[in-house]
C-alpha cells in the first residue's frame, strides 16, 4: 500500500510539471509573437521547450536579442541561456 501511494504521488507531481511546462511554452510563444521582430517570429517553432524555459526569465527588452543568439549559436540547454540574461525577471507565480 505504501509503495502504491509513493507511485501515485510521483505520477501526480510528474503530471503537474508536464502541465506547467505546456503553459510555459504557450506563454512564451505568445510573448515572442508580441516582442520578436518579423524574421524571428517566423522561427518561433524552432525553439525547443528547454530553450523557452531558459528564455522566460529575460526581460521584454532583452528577449529579442537573446532569442536571436540562442538560435544562431544553437544553445540547447537552459543553464547557459539563463547565464546570458542581464535583466532577470523572476517567475513569482510558479507553483
Amino acid at each position: 500500500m505504501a509503495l502504491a501511494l509513493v507511485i501515485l504521488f510521483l505520477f501526480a507531481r510528474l503530471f503537474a510539471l508536464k502541465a506547467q511546462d505546456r503553459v510555459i511554452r504557450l506563454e512564451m510563444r505568445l510573448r515572442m509573437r508580441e516582442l520578436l521582430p518579423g524574421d524571428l517570429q517566423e522561427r518561433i517553432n524552432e525553439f525547443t521547450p528547454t530553450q523557452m524555459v531558459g528564455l522566460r526569465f529575460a526581460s521584454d527588452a532583452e528577449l529579442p536579442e537573446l532569442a536571436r543568439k540562442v538560435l544562431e549559436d544553437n544553445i540547447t540547454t537552459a543553464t547557459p541561456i539563463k547565464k546570458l540574461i542581464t535583466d532577470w525577471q523572476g517567475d513569482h507565480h510558479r507553483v
Side-chain angles (χ1 to χ4, degrees), residues 8 22 38 43 45-46 49 54-55 58-59 71 73 80 86:
L8 178 66
R22 291 184 68 168
R43 300 182 68 190
N45 290 332
E46 293 179 32
L55 288 169
S59 68
L71 287 178
D73 296 349
T86 57

Side-chain angles (χ1 to χ4, degrees):
M1 184 69 158
L3 180 62
L5 288 174
V6 169
I7 291 172
L8 178 66
F9 172 77
L10 292 175
F11 273 117
R13 183 68 183 145
L14 180 66
F15 293 149
L17 289 174
K18 289 293 182 183
Q20 193 162 343
D21 286 347
R22 291 184 68 168
V23 171
I24 289 169
R25 288 195 323 260
L26 175 61
E27 174 190 353
M28 284 304 298
R29 282 192 181 110
L30 291 172
R31 189 170 166 222
M32 287 178 172
R33 290 206 193 288
E34 289 180 15
L35 299 173
L36 297 183
D39 64 319
L40 282 178
Q41 284 185 8
E42 297 171 0
R43 300 182 68 190
I44 288 174
N45 290 332
E46 293 179 32
F47 289 99
T48 66
T50 303
Q51 289 169 322
M52 287 187 180
V53 167
L55 288 169
R56 72 192 292 242
F57 298 104
S59 68
D60 289 352
E62 190 175 19
L63 182 62
E65 179 184 330
L66 191 56
R68 186 177 307 278
K69 182 167 184 58
V70 166
L71 287 178
E72 287 175 356
D73 296 349
N74 196 26
I75 304 171
T76 58
T77 57
T79 302
I81 296 170
K82 291 176 184 178
K83 288 180 180 178
L84 293 172
I85 296 172
T86 57
D87 185 12
W88 189 270
Q89 304 295 312
D91 181 5
H92 305 291
H93 301 290
R94 188 168 177 129
V95 178

